[in-house]
Amino acid sequence: MKRIRVLFSRHEFHILVFCLSLVLFSWPLVSSSDFDRINAMFVYLFVCWTVVVFLQFLISRVLISR
């Protein structure tokens, strides 16, 4: 648990999460002109958004508890 707290409190990890979110929501991955894939794209965006928000939540909890 201590290692996770140290990882989440590092500035480099914050930059990594930011870059990961940029890649996940970038134009080539999000663009879709096929209407049959709308449901799959919705699931993809929702899951990516949930992961990014959860990581930000964990980072904030670690930084508050310091």
Side-chain angles (χ1 to χ4, degrees):
M1 190 67 168
K2 177 97 171 145
R3 295 175 86 182
I4 293 174
R5 286 183 183 268
V6 170
L7 174 68
F8 282 2
S9 66
R10 302 226 12 163
H11 185 67
E12 293 84 9
F13 183 73
H14 302 164
I15 294 172
L16 178 69
V17 170
F18 176 74
C19 292
L20 176 70
S21 63
L22 280 179
V23 169
L24 289 176
F25 297 113
S26 65
W27 171 76
L29 292 176
V30 175
S31 67
S32 173
S33 62
D34 188 14
F35 287 110
D36 296 334
R37 294 189 51 212
I38 293 294
N39 291 335
M41 187 58 60
F42 176 75
V43 170
Y44 168 76
L45 287 174
F46 186 75
V47 167
C48 290
W49 176 78
T50 305
V51 167
V52 169
V53 168
F54 185 68
L55 283 173
Q56 292 295 323
F57 172 74
L58 291 176
I59 289 171
S60 71
R61 299 308 297 174
V62 167
L63 292 178
I64 288 173
S65 68
R66 272 208 279 171

